[in-house]
Amino acid sequence: MSRRRSRDQLVLVDEIALAIVTFAAIVGMHRLFVDGSYRGPLIAQALIAHVVVTVLRRLGVKVLPAALITAGAAVLVLTWTRFPDTVHWGLPTGQTLRQAGDDLEAAWRLFGKVRAPAPVENGFLAASGAAIWVLVFVADWAAFRVSATFEALLPATTLFVFAAALGGSGSPFAGAAVFAGAALLFVLLHRTSNQERTSRWAGEHHSQGRWSLLGTGAALIAAAVVAGLIAGPKLPGAEAEPVVAWRDINRDKPTRVVTSPLVQLQTKILDQPDVELFSVESEQPSYWRLTSLDQFDGQIWRQSYSTSDADGKLPQAIDSAARTDTVEQTFQILRLASVWLPAAYEPVAVDTGADPADYDEQSSTLMVDRDVSDSDGYSYKVTSALPLWSAADLRAASTDVPKPIEDVYTDLPGDFPDRVTQLADDVTADAATPYDKAVALQDYLRGPDFTYNINVGPGHSEDALQHFLFESREGYCEQFAGSYAVMARAIGLPARVAVGFTWGVRDRFEPDLYRVRGNHAHAWPEVYIGEYGWVPMEPTPGRGLPGGEAWTGFPGVQDDTGGAAATLDRPETAANGPGGNAGSADSRAPGEGLGLDGIGGTASSSSSDDNNSGIGDALGRAVLPVAIALGAYLVLVPCLLAGQRALRRRRAATPSARVRLSWLTATDRAREAGVVLPASLTFTESAERMAAALPESAGGARQLALAMELITYAEVAATDDDVDSAAEASAAVTEVANRGEPWWRRVLVWFDARRLWRPRTTRLVTTGALR
């Protein structure tokens, strides 16, 4: 009785140690989120999950019923904790499903756009909580139902590695040390428990054996963790960026790193004012837009992209109610030296000929294929739909904003300055509609208190924003556009920053030809107004959108520094003249150009699955059935194997049958480990083969063989003590076989459908026959 109590205590310690491993993995997720508010909810989920699976196992509930009960408990607990307002009589409702779907969809959209650390959204917590329930059940099953030590660590290790690979800034070493210590402690305790249960030395001298193993192991763990903390930060690449940028996980291709547009904006205007970057043939002038930036973290504006092939008609993210004027443009890119393809907003069709191009629907961005370094030399045609808004139309627009637009385009950092919000409220206090608020912000920044000055320092962080709004009141388009966008967001008006060029210089010999130079680089805000979608505004003094006077109140005006308002000579003359001399072009550093993304940020460009066609669709149709079949196999085979094991245990109704089951379990595991045990061998011969191949299993194998000989040949009925001894001996053989195999082979065993066909095994258990 004392020995059984000792074993029960060790099992309890093992269970607590396994829970600590899960907690450590959750703590290790700190680099995924902006703060630690995720820890409490997820640790609570893990604690409840461990209690539930432990109670079910101790009550003797079989694997499949335990899995179903655990799934039900997970649904209830997640509903109570994450969606408490949707329950009725404590049970989930249809509203629960709808709310969960909305939150998960919002989290997935955020997952696809932001880099860690990310905000702690309810969808993230619900999805993470569900994953933790699955991980806890699998870990408990591996540790205590099949006595597999290292397999029990795989679920928590997967979670920890996932967080480490996708994590943002911050040191990973503290979390790694905690997780490593917890994992090693569990291995030590679990191995000690198994050793004491199966080793004769540990069983006869359990106190001395236990403390010898624990003392030595604890010292080794402490030394390993301390050494890792000291040596880890010194290793090459220790302070490198995350291995994987998590916003790219749901994309087929990795992040594309390009030059920042706003960082390069001042350089273009000041240092390359006369360098011709591209030309446009168009019946109407326009702002030649490159892209828009939708994310502001207090320091930088950036954008993320999910692109599909751009060829022919382009998909539109928003179905605008505006009347439009169709305009054809032909672009010839000369020295832009970036991945972007300018176009009048909003492009609806493109023809790049033999040059591959991509398109991001959400930001209406055209760019070169990711295998192409830049757009220089591209020649393409774009069809754009130029909206014909009026102030009356926009003022009468709906005030409704779709939730996806509101979530992304009104987002501001949690510590956004209150006085900027107050200023925006004051400026728009008398504005009745979103359009009136947009105009009020524009007119304020174009007012007499602000001055256009290209010679101020670049930047649009929160500090630069406050300096611009409350102190200097001087800047160029970067400051005006960035300040407008954040002030609009502060009052709930969706806004983003667009970057591109004004229309350029009209060629006097070809009136429809515009030559765009460095001093035409420009940034402006766009606001979302009801059914009309994204509307450009112009807060920068001395600038005006062509055709935009109807809603902005300002005529089309651009920078005329260096003769931009004048006509240019023919290209042959301009190449050697002051307006576009070869020296100016050659003075540009190789690769220098106006690239796009956020300040110091990166942009991701990848093929969108739902926009593929042709071969992609055919491939998808072929792959889908295979994927479904593979998924069914991976789910059904382990379940059938678990059911088969449960059936054998139920059929083993007598003590002798349970002893036979222990023998079969040991010999089956030995065969899987590579021991050749033909049916012609006697029990003793089989035991000796196991002892030779797995020396540490010799005692257990011989003990099982002796028990089988007694109940088979001597016809001595087994007792309950014999059943316990046989179970311990079988567990010892299984443990030795597990240690001798790599973890992946032990995992693959559970997906081996051949194990389902073992008639000899069933017959031996039920009838007692040798074969």
Side-chain angles (χ1 to χ4, degrees):
M1 183 64 69
S2 175
R3 185 178 174 187
R4 175 179 289 273
R5 185 181 298 111
S6 177
R7 286 202 303 267
D8 291 343
Q9 291 172 350
L10 277 177
V11 171
L12 176 61
V13 172
D14 286 353
E15 293 166 343
I16 295 173
L18 185 60
I20 292 174
V21 172
T22 307
F23 300 156
I26 294 172
V27 171
M29 298 170 66
H30 68 283
R31 295 170 66 220
L32 288 179
F33 299 103
V34 295
D35 55 48
S37 59
Y38 76 93
R39 294 193 187 101
L42 294 189
I43 288 177
Q45 295 288 340
L47 179 61
I48 297 172
H50 274 286
V51 170
V52 169
V53 298
T54 298
V55 170
L56 291 174
R57 173 173 39 79
R58 289 191 169 220
L59 289 176
V61 180
K62 305 304 180 182
V63 174
L64 288 180
L68 295 176
I69 295 172
T70 301
V75 171
L76 290 177
V77 173
L78 288 170
T79 300
W80 296 336
T81 55
R82 304 307 338 147
F83 312 102
D85 298 333
T86 67
V87 300
H88 183 68
W89 296 103
L91 298 175
T93 62
Q95 184 183 356
T96 305
L97 296 178
R98 290 190 295 271
Q99 183 65 49
D102 291 343
D103 287 357
L104 291 173
E105 182 181 359
W108 183 246
R109 285 198 308 270
L110 188 63
F111 184 93
K113 281 185 171 292
V114 305
R115 286 187 180 279
V120 184
E121 297 288 341
N122 192 57
F124 278 141
L125 293 178
S128 300
I132 285 171
W133 276 86
V134 174
L135 298 180
V136 167
F137 181 84
V138 173
D140 186 89
W141 165 78
F144 303 109
R145 291 185 185 265
V146 298
S147 299
T149 303
F150 287 103
E151 286 84 344
L153 291 175
L154 286 179
T157 302
T158 301
L159 178 63
F160 179 80
V161 171
F162 175 86
L166 305 181
S169 59
S171 173
F173 296 107
V178 171
F179 182 76
L184 291 173
L185 178 63
F186 169 75
V187 171
L188 173 64
L189 292 170
H190 199 247
R191 283 294 179 85
T192 302
S193 176
N194 289 339
Q195 183 80 353
E196 182 164 324
R197 188 181 72 248
T198 59
S199 170
R200 178 173 298 180
W201 166 76
E204 294 176 354
H205 308 282
H206 58 274
S207 296
Q208 178 183 356
R210 178 192 309 166
W211 290 111
S212 175
L213 291 171
L214 291 177
T216 303
L220 292 174
I221 290 173
V225 172
V226 171
L229 282 174
I230 295 174
K234 308 298 182 184
L235 294 176
E239 300 300 327
E241 290 297 316
V243 175
V244 180
W246 76 334
R247 71 179 178 185
D248 302 321
I249 288 301
N250 62 329
R251 300 181 182 141
D252 297 332
K253 300 177 182 178
T255 297
R256 173 188 285 178
V257 179
V258 295
T259 312
S260 162
L262 298 182
V263 164
Q264 291 275 330
L265 201 59
Q266 188 183 45
T267 301
K268 280 294 181 189
I269 298 173
L270 283 178
D271 298 343
Q272 298 175 341
D274 297 326
V275 176
E276 185 176 337
L277 305 178
F278 59 91
S279 64
V280 190
E281 186 177 349
S282 174
E283 293 180 356
Q284 294 186 30
S286 180
Y287 278 3
W288 313 121
R289 185 179 180 273
L290 296 181
T291 192
S292 64
L293 312 176
D294 67 356
Q295 301 170 30
F296 180 66
D297 63 4
Q299 297 295 323
I300 61 177
W301 281 95
R302 61 160 60 96
Q303 171 66 292
S304 57
Y305 303 92
S306 180
T307 60
S308 58
D309 293 340
D311 186 15
K313 186 177 180 180
L314 300 173
Q316 306 301 304
I318 297 173
D319 185 13
S320 174
R323 294 176 295 111
T324 60
D325 192 2
T326 301
V327 177
E328 305 283 345
Q329 311 128 68
T330 300
F331 285 84
Q332 179 65 53
I333 309 299
L334 302 176
R335 304 179 183 93
L336 190 55
S338 75
V339 299
W340 314 104
L341 299 173
Y345 185 78
E346 179 174 23
V348 295
V350 65
D351 179 8
T352 59
D355 297 319
D358 293 334
Y359 180 69
D360 175 58
E361 179 180 343
Q362 294 301 319
S363 62
S364 299
T365 297
L366 284 164
M367 63 183 72
V368 299
D369 186 80
R370 64 181 303 108
D371 295 329
V372 180
S373 60
D374 59 51
S375 59
D376 290 359
Y378 265 63
S379 179
Y380 58 97
K381 295 181 180 180
V382 178
T383 302
S384 297
L386 273 60
L388 302 174
W389 294 302
S390 69
D393 290 338
L394 296 175
R395 186 171 286 114
S398 169
T399 59
D400 293 338
V401 178
K403 193 172 187 302
I405 298 291
E406 181 181 9
D407 289 345
V408 174
Y409 295 99
T410 61
D411 183 54
L412 287 171
D415 59 351
F416 187 74
D418 291 336
R419 65 172 180 162
V420 176
T421 302
Q422 185 60 52
L423 174 62
D425 285 333
D426 294 342
V427 169
T428 60
D430 297 330
T433 68
Y435 167 70
D436 292 323
K437 293 178 186 293
V439 172
L441 289 174
Q442 172 191 264
D443 293 348
Y444 173 74
L445 292 173
R446 294 184 69 113
D449 293 338
F450 291 87
T451 304
Y452 183 87
N453 184 358
I454 189 60
N455 293 306
V456 302
H460 47 264
S461 65
E462 289 180 358
D463 291 340
L465 170 69
Q466 294 186 76
H467 178 75
F468 170 72
L469 290 175
F470 300 105
E471 298 176 27
S472 71
R473 293 186 172 87
E474 289 187 341
Y476 56 101
C477 58
E478 175 183 347
Q479 286 78 34
F480 283 96
S483 298
Y484 182 103
V486 295
M487 292 175 71
R489 291 188 175 197
I491 59 172
L493 187 63
R496 62 191 186 186
V497 175
V499 184
F501 298 86
T502 57
W503 59 94
V505 179
R506 175 176 286 171
D507 190 299
R508 68 181 181 182
F509 297 103
E510 299 181 49
D512 290 341
L513 181 64
Y514 298 87
R515 302 188 182 279
V516 182
R517 305 184 304 194
N519 63 322
H520 299 130
H522 191 47
W524 63 95
E526 296 172 342
V527 295
Y528 185 90
I529 299 180
E531 64 270 26
Y532 296 106
W534 292 107
V535 178
M537 305 301 292
E538 186 49 274
T540 302
R543 304 293 183 273
L545 180 70
E549 187 174 3
W551 71 89
T552 66
F554 298 95
V557 181
Q558 68 177 352
D559 178 20
D560 60 0
T561 303
T567 58
L568 287 178
D569 292 332
R570 287 186 180 276
E572 305 88 54
T573 306
N576 296 315
N581 60 72
S584 296
D586 293 340
S587 65
R588 178 169 56 88
E592 185 176 3
L594 185 62
L596 257 294
D597 188 46
I599 299 300
T602 59
S604 89
S605 173
S606 58
S607 298
S608 176
D609 291 340
D610 55 3
N611 290 321
N612 290 334
S613 60
I615 295 176
D617 286 342
L619 183 61
R621 289 192 296 270
V623 168
L624 183 59
V626 176
I628 294 175
L630 179 61
Y633 179 91
L634 295 177
V635 171
L636 288 176
V637 170
C639 292
L640 291 174
L641 286 171
Q644 185 185 67
R645 292 183 61 184
L647 178 62
R648 291 172 184 167
R649 284 193 294 268
R650 284 197 299 271
R651 288 182 174 180
T654 65
S656 295
R658 289 197 289 271
V659 170
R660 293 188 183 98
L661 181 59
S662 294
W663 167 259
L664 291 170
T665 301
T667 53
D668 284 348
R669 187 66 192 91
R671 289 188 180 94
E672 290 163 359
V675 182
V676 179
L677 298 175
S680 59
L681 297 179
T682 66
F683 295 120
T684 300
E685 290 171 341
S686 295
E688 293 305 319
R689 286 214 181 180
M690 287 189 284
L694 306 170
E696 296 182 26
S697 71
R702 289 166 180 156
Q703 180 180 345
L704 282 170
L706 178 60
M708 287 298 295
E709 288 176 342
L710 289 175
I711 63 176
T712 303
Y713 300 132
E715 297 183 354
V716 176
T719 65
D720 290 339
D721 289 339
D722 294 333
V723 172
D724 291 341
S725 298
E728 291 182 3
S730 179
V733 174
T734 300
E735 174 69 15
V736 173
N738 287 341
R739 288 203 303 266
E741 281 191 323
W743 66 268
W744 56 268
R745 288 191 60 181
R746 295 198 296 272
V747 172
L748 288 178
V749 163
W750 283 98
F751 300 96
D752 186 357
R754 294 173 300 178
R755 301 174 66 213
L756 294 171
W757 290 275
R758 285 180 180 161
R760 185 186 62 82
T761 298
T762 303
R763 199 160 54 243
L764 183 58
V765 172
T766 56
T767 67
L770 289 176
R771 296 175 178 80

